[in-house]
Tab-separated table of all heavy atoms in Angstrom:
chain	number	residue	atom	x	y	z
A	260	LEU	N	-17.072	40.335	1.312
A	260	LEU	CA	-16.865	40.057	2.816
A	260	LEU	C	-15.563	40.675	3.359
A	260	LEU	O	-15.479	41.044	4.436
A	260	LEU	CB	-16.934	38.656	3.160
A	260	LEU	CG	-17.145	38.192	4.611
A	260	LEU	CD1	-18.399	38.878	5.201
A	260	LEU	CD2	-17.190	36.842	4.704
A	263	VAL	N	-16.223	43.941	4.789
A	263	VAL	CA	-17.088	43.984	5.956
A	263	VAL	C	-16.313	43.320	7.130
A	263	VAL	O	-16.500	43.574	8.274
A	263	VAL	CB	-18.298	42.974	5.701
A	263	VAL	CG1	-19.046	42.585	6.874
A	263	VAL	CG2	-19.246	43.591	4.743
A	264	SER	N	-15.314	42.489	6.824
A	264	SER	CA	-14.535	41.795	7.894
A	264	SER	C	-13.746	42.713	8.758
A	264	SER	O	-13.186	42.418	9.868
A	264	SER	CB	-13.708	40.749	7.348
A	264	SER	OG	-12.641	41.207	6.472
A	265	LYS	N	-13.549	43.938	8.359
A	265	LYS	CA	-12.766	44.994	9.133
A	265	LYS	C	-13.729	45.829	9.780
A	265	LYS	O	-13.384	46.325	10.895
A	265	LYS	CB	-11.945	45.755	8.133
A	265	LYS	CG	-10.735	44.959	7.657
A	265	LYS	CD	-9.921	45.766	6.642
A	265	LYS	CE	-8.984	44.812	5.944
A	265	LYS	NZ	-8.552	45.321	4.675
A	266	ASN	N	-14.914	46.286	9.301
A	266	ASN	CA	-15.725	47.212	9.703
A	266	ASN	C	-17.167	47.029	9.271
A	266	ASN	O	-17.281	46.875	7.999
A	266	ASN	CB	-15.275	48.544	9.475
A	266	ASN	CG	-15.873	49.681	10.050
A	266	ASN	OD1	-17.101	49.810	9.893
A	266	ASN	ND2	-15.277	50.493	10.900
A	267	ALA	N	-18.081	46.869	10.184
A	267	ALA	CA	-19.549	46.768	9.565
A	267	ALA	C	-20.365	47.758	10.257
A	267	ALA	O	-20.605	47.695	11.460
A	267	ALA	CB	-19.935	45.224	9.885
A	270	LEU	N	-18.885	49.516	13.145
A	270	LEU	CA	-18.418	48.803	14.373
A	270	LEU	C	-17.266	47.833	13.969
A	270	LEU	O	-17.392	47.186	12.855
A	270	LEU	CB	-19.652	47.971	14.966
A	270	LEU	CG	-20.831	48.717	15.431
A	270	LEU	CD1	-21.895	47.901	15.806
A	270	LEU	CD2	-20.341	49.595	16.511
A	271	PRO	N	-16.260	47.658	14.782
A	271	PRO	CA	-15.151	46.781	14.370
A	271	PRO	C	-15.589	45.273	14.444
A	271	PRO	O	-16.493	44.875	15.354
A	271	PRO	CB	-14.140	46.987	15.556
A	271	PRO	CG	-14.766	47.874	16.511
A	271	PRO	CD	-16.085	48.511	15.933
A	272	VAL	N	-15.296	44.505	13.566
A	272	VAL	CA	-15.733	43.152	13.309
A	272	VAL	C	-14.721	42.340	14.115
A	272	VAL	O	-13.423	42.370	13.957
A	272	VAL	CB	-15.707	42.688	11.896
A	272	VAL	CG1	-15.934	41.224	11.670
A	272	VAL	CG2	-16.850	43.482	11.161
A	273	LEU	N	-15.310	41.407	14.903
A	273	LEU	CA	-14.350	40.487	15.816
A	273	LEU	C	-14.229	39.122	15.066
A	273	LEU	O	-13.206	38.483	15.261
A	273	LEU	CB	-15.010	40.383	17.118
A	273	LEU	CG	-15.254	41.666	17.967
A	273	LEU	CD1	-15.918	41.306	19.235
A	273	LEU	CD2	-13.819	42.303	18.197
A	274	GLY	N	-15.298	38.862	14.288
A	274	GLY	CA	-15.253	37.454	13.741
A	274	GLY	C	-16.425	37.270	12.932
A	274	GLY	O	-17.401	38.072	12.938
A	275	HIS	N	-16.377	36.261	11.919
A	275	HIS	CA	-17.610	35.923	11.193
A	275	HIS	C	-17.501	34.460	10.745
A	275	HIS	O	-16.493	33.853	10.775
A	275	HIS	CB	-17.690	36.830	9.966
A	275	HIS	CG	-16.488	36.868	9.071
A	275	HIS	ND1	-16.262	35.933	8.175
A	275	HIS	CD2	-15.640	37.653	8.987
A	275	HIS	CE1	-15.101	36.181	7.490
A	275	HIS	NE2	-14.673	37.322	8.040
A	276	GLY	N	-18.662	33.951	10.352
A	276	GLY	CA	-18.649	32.575	9.931
A	276	GLY	C	-19.889	32.572	8.854
A	276	GLY	O	-20.336	33.604	8.290
A	278	GLU	N	-22.997	31.890	9.293
A	278	GLU	CA	-24.311	32.170	9.812
A	278	GLU	C	-24.295	33.621	10.444
A	278	GLU	O	-25.436	34.184	10.605
A	278	GLU	CB	-24.700	31.160	11.035
A	278	GLU	CG	-24.683	29.752	10.426
A	278	GLU	CD	-25.125	28.771	11.715
A	278	GLU	OE1	-25.010	29.128	12.797
A	278	GLU	OE2	-25.292	27.655	11.288
A	279	GLN	N	-23.187	34.175	10.871
A	279	GLN	CA	-23.337	35.473	11.474
A	279	GLN	C	-22.019	36.256	11.361
A	279	GLN	O	-20.931	35.724	11.039
A	279	GLN	CB	-23.640	35.349	12.878
A	279	GLN	CG	-22.588	34.419	13.704
A	279	GLN	CD	-23.289	33.985	15.151
A	279	GLN	OE1	-24.234	34.425	15.456
A	279	GLN	NE2	-22.500	33.229	15.749
A	280	ILE	N	-22.054	37.490	11.646
A	280	ILE	CA	-20.837	38.343	11.828
A	280	ILE	C	-20.970	38.916	13.199
A	280	ILE	O	-22.046	39.356	13.625
A	280	ILE	CB	-20.781	39.526	10.720
A	280	ILE	CG1	-19.476	40.195	10.801
A	280	ILE	CG2	-21.961	40.386	10.849
A	280	ILE	CD1	-19.280	41.120	9.627
A	281	VAL	N	-19.829	38.941	13.811
A	281	VAL	CA	-19.736	39.309	15.252
A	281	VAL	C	-19.039	40.688	15.269
A	281	VAL	O	-17.844	40.752	14.921
A	281	VAL	CB	-18.985	38.409	16.176
A	281	VAL	CG1	-18.983	38.759	17.636
A	281	VAL	CG2	-19.715	37.050	16.021
A	282	MET	N	-19.655	41.738	15.876
A	282	MET	CA	-18.981	43.008	15.975
A	282	MET	C	-19.036	43.568	17.456
A	282	MET	O	-19.900	43.230	18.172
A	282	MET	CB	-19.893	44.012	15.155
A	282	MET	CG	-20.014	43.573	13.688
A	282	MET	SD	-21.446	44.437	12.858
A	282	MET	CE	-22.810	43.332	13.470
A	283	ALA	N	-17.919	44.351	17.691
A	283	ALA	CA	-17.787	45.085	19.060
A	283	ALA	C	-18.715	46.190	19.029
A	283	ALA	O	-18.818	46.997	18.072
A	283	ALA	CB	-16.463	45.361	19.213
A	284	ASP	N	-19.359	46.272	20.236
A	284	ASP	CA	-20.300	47.590	20.373
A	284	ASP	C	-20.115	47.995	21.971
A	284	ASP	O	-20.831	47.513	22.704
A	284	ASP	CB	-21.671	47.287	20.120
A	284	ASP	CG	-22.597	48.571	20.171
A	284	ASP	OD1	-21.986	49.633	20.115
A	284	ASP	OD2	-23.765	48.471	20.368
A	287	ASP	N	-20.460	45.304	24.789
A	287	ASP	CA	-21.201	44.270	24.243
A	287	ASP	C	-20.714	43.834	22.856
A	287	ASP	O	-19.839	44.475	22.336
A	287	ASP	CB	-22.661	44.808	23.834
A	287	ASP	CG	-23.499	45.057	25.067
A	287	ASP	OD1	-23.058	44.689	26.256
A	287	ASP	OD2	-24.456	45.874	24.968
A	288	VAL	N	-21.137	42.620	22.421
A	288	VAL	CA	-21.032	42.167	21.114
A	288	VAL	C	-22.196	42.042	20.556
A	288	VAL	O	-23.353	41.788	21.229
A	288	VAL	CB	-20.130	40.817	20.991
A	288	VAL	CG1	-18.861	40.939	21.486
A	288	VAL	CG2	-20.872	39.701	21.610
A	289	ILE	N	-22.365	42.203	19.212
A	289	ILE	CA	-23.560	42.152	18.397
A	289	ILE	C	-23.293	41.134	17.212
A	289	ILE	O	-22.300	41.125	16.581
A	289	ILE	CB	-23.922	43.413	17.771
A	289	ILE	CG1	-24.330	44.468	18.825
A	289	ILE	CG2	-25.154	43.332	16.725
A	289	ILE	CD1	-24.489	45.910	18.206
A	290	LYS	N	-24.143	40.154	17.319
A	290	LYS	CA	-24.117	38.961	16.245
A	290	LYS	C	-25.211	39.281	15.270
A	290	LYS	O	-26.367	39.084	15.624
A	290	LYS	CB	-24.182	37.773	16.787
A	290	LYS	CG	-23.068	37.417	17.919
A	290	LYS	CD	-23.279	36.185	18.626
A	290	LYS	CE	-22.157	35.847	19.671
A	290	LYS	NZ	-22.348	34.570	20.283
A	291	LEU	N	-24.832	39.686	14.058
A	291	LEU	CA	-25.897	39.936	12.983
A	291	LEU	C	-26.158	38.547	12.346
A	291	LEU	O	-25.175	37.938	11.822
A	291	LEU	CB	-25.549	40.894	11.898
A	291	LEU	CG	-26.582	41.347	11.058
A	291	LEU	CD1	-26.591	42.730	10.729
A	291	LEU	CD2	-26.431	40.567	9.740
A	292	LEU	N	-27.408	37.942	12.394
A	292	LEU	CA	-27.705	36.705	11.953
A	292	LEU	C	-28.126	36.710	10.272
A	292	LEU	O	-29.144	37.331	10.210
A	292	LEU	CB	-28.911	36.051	12.714
A	292	LEU	CG	-28.647	36.238	14.198
A	292	LEU	CD1	-29.819	35.566	15.002
A	292	LEU	CD2	-27.351	35.540	14.622
A	293	PHE	N	-27.222	36.250	9.654
A	293	PHE	CA	-27.501	36.259	8.090
A	293	PHE	C	-28.738	35.801	7.665
A	293	PHE	O	-29.394	36.351	6.809
A	293	PHE	CB	-26.343	35.634	7.437
A	293	PHE	CG	-24.965	36.186	7.562
A	293	PHE	CD1	-23.800	35.461	7.659
A	293	PHE	CD2	-24.786	37.549	7.581
A	293	PHE	CE1	-22.614	35.913	7.689
A	293	PHE	CE2	-23.498	38.108	7.814
A	293	PHE	CZ	-22.417	37.297	7.801
A	344	ILE	N	-30.309	40.797	15.459
A	344	ILE	CA	-29.023	40.721	16.093
A	344	ILE	C	-29.189	40.016	17.494
A	344	ILE	O	-30.333	40.281	18.014
A	344	ILE	CB	-28.346	42.068	16.208
A	344	ILE	CG1	-29.279	43.084	17.149
A	344	ILE	CG2	-28.102	42.777	14.795
A	344	ILE	CD1	-28.486	44.278	17.479
A	345	ALA	N	-28.129	39.445	17.814
A	345	ALA	CA	-28.101	38.979	19.183
A	345	ALA	C	-27.063	39.890	19.871
A	345	ALA	O	-25.891	40.078	19.467
A	345	ALA	CB	-27.589	37.440	19.102
A	346	ARG	N	-27.390	40.399	21.160
A	346	ARG	CA	-26.572	41.151	21.821
A	346	ARG	C	-26.187	40.497	23.198
A	346	ARG	O	-27.032	39.949	23.907
A	346	ARG	CB	-27.338	42.517	22.215
A	346	ARG	CG	-26.475	43.557	22.964
A	346	ARG	CD	-27.255	44.745	23.262
A	346	ARG	NE	-27.485	45.515	22.057
A	346	ARG	CZ	-26.625	46.381	21.434
A	346	ARG	NH1	-25.484	46.525	21.966
A	346	ARG	NH2	-27.074	47.029	20.408
A	347	GLN	N	-24.831	40.428	23.367
A	347	GLN	CA	-24.271	39.767	24.587
A	347	GLN	C	-23.213	40.677	25.151
A	347	GLN	O	-22.610	41.439	24.500
A	347	GLN	CB	-23.699	38.384	24.125
A	347	GLN	CG	-24.632	37.407	23.621
A	347	GLN	CD	-23.885	36.245	23.259
A	347	GLN	OE1	-22.710	36.279	22.830
A	347	GLN	NE2	-24.505	35.116	23.433
A	348	GLU	N	-22.797	40.272	26.373
A	348	GLU	CA	-21.783	40.813	27.166
A	348	GLU	C	-20.505	40.539	26.281
A	348	GLU	O	-20.278	39.387	25.743
A	348	GLU	CB	-21.575	40.228	28.464
A	348	GLU	CG	-20.193	40.371	29.139
A	348	GLU	CD	-20.015	39.524	30.347
A	348	GLU	OE1	-21.166	38.958	30.738
A	348	GLU	OE2	-18.954	39.502	30.878
A	349	ARG	N	-19.571	41.491	26.081
A	349	ARG	CA	-18.305	41.217	25.377
A	349	ARG	C	-17.318	40.585	26.236
A	349	ARG	O	-17.076	41.024	27.385
A	349	ARG	CB	-17.749	42.647	24.922
A	349	ARG	CG	-16.523	42.445	24.003
A	349	ARG	CD	-16.213	43.647	23.351
A	349	ARG	NE	-14.895	43.421	22.514
A	349	ARG	CZ	-14.264	44.503	22.004
A	349	ARG	NH1	-14.713	45.707	22.016
A	349	ARG	NH2	-13.125	44.097	21.368
A	350	LEU	N	-16.646	39.504	25.826
A	350	LEU	CA	-15.672	38.711	26.642
A	350	LEU	C	-14.405	39.413	26.395
A	350	LEU	O	-14.020	39.796	25.270
A	350	LEU	CB	-15.709	37.246	26.205
A	350	LEU	CG	-17.028	36.508	26.227
A	350	LEU	CD1	-16.814	35.227	25.773
A	350	LEU	CD2	-17.608	36.490	27.657
A	355	PHE	N	-11.396	29.262	24.984
A	355	PHE	CA	-12.700	28.425	24.555
A	355	PHE	C	-12.431	26.969	24.799
A	355	PHE	O	-11.269	26.426	24.606
A	355	PHE	CB	-12.873	28.662	23.062
A	355	PHE	CG	-13.457	30.057	22.726
A	355	PHE	CD1	-12.657	30.982	22.111
A	355	PHE	CD2	-14.643	30.386	23.190
A	355	PHE	CE1	-13.084	32.261	21.911
A	355	PHE	CE2	-15.167	31.827	23.003
A	355	PHE	CZ	-14.325	32.638	22.300
A	392	ASP	N	-15.772	28.193	18.912
A	392	ASP	CA	-15.739	29.422	19.702
A	392	ASP	C	-17.278	29.484	20.374
A	392	ASP	O	-17.726	30.444	20.681
A	392	ASP	CB	-15.690	30.644	18.781
A	392	ASP	CG	-14.271	30.678	18.246
A	392	ASP	OD1	-13.294	30.207	18.816
A	392	ASP	OD2	-14.115	31.340	17.215
A	393	ASN	N	-17.763	28.219	20.678
A	393	ASN	CA	-19.085	28.292	21.264
A	393	ASN	C	-19.242	28.135	22.723
A	393	ASN	O	-20.293	28.466	23.244
A	393	ASN	CB	-19.933	27.061	20.608
A	393	ASN	CG	-20.198	27.145	19.094
A	393	ASN	OD1	-19.859	28.167	18.530
A	393	ASN	ND2	-20.807	26.281	18.443
A	406	ILE	N	-21.671	30.408	24.748
A	406	ILE	CA	-21.825	31.862	24.228
A	406	ILE	C	-22.483	31.724	22.993
A	406	ILE	O	-22.929	32.797	22.507
A	406	ILE	CB	-20.479	32.514	24.207
A	406	ILE	CG1	-19.424	31.820	23.371
A	406	ILE	CG2	-19.968	32.657	25.629
A	406	ILE	CD1	-18.187	32.722	23.277
A	407	ASP	N	-22.572	30.612	22.179
A	407	ASP	CA	-23.315	30.491	20.925
A	407	ASP	C	-24.696	30.260	21.376
A	407	ASP	O	-25.060	28.965	21.614
A	407	ASP	CB	-22.851	29.468	20.048
A	407	ASP	CG	-23.574	29.394	18.731
A	407	ASP	OD1	-24.680	29.904	18.733
A	407	ASP	OD2	-23.046	28.748	17.875
A	409	ILE	N	-27.698	30.629	19.939
A	409	ILE	CA	-28.810	30.447	18.930
A	409	ILE	C	-29.004	28.980	19.047
A	409	ILE	O	-28.459	28.085	18.579
A	409	ILE	CB	-28.354	30.891	17.483
A	409	ILE	CG1	-28.085	32.254	17.407
A	409	ILE	CG2	-29.468	30.450	16.397
A	409	ILE	CD1	-27.494	33.240	17.554
Side-chain angles (χ1 to χ4, degrees):
L260 191 60
V263 172
S264 65
K265 294 179 186 151
N266 187 298
L270 299 174
V272 172
L273 301 174
H275 56 79
E278 298 174 351
Q279 60 193 355
I280 186 166
V281 181
M282 299 162 282
D284 185 20
D287 293 339
V288 293
I289 295 173
K290 300 175 180 181
L291 187 138
L292 311 180
F293 296 142
I344 61 166
R346 183 179 293 275
Q347 297 176 325
E348 165 193 351
R349 184 173 178 185
L350 305 175
F355 294 106
D392 298 333
N393 294 356
I406 62 170
D407 182 342
I409 294 74

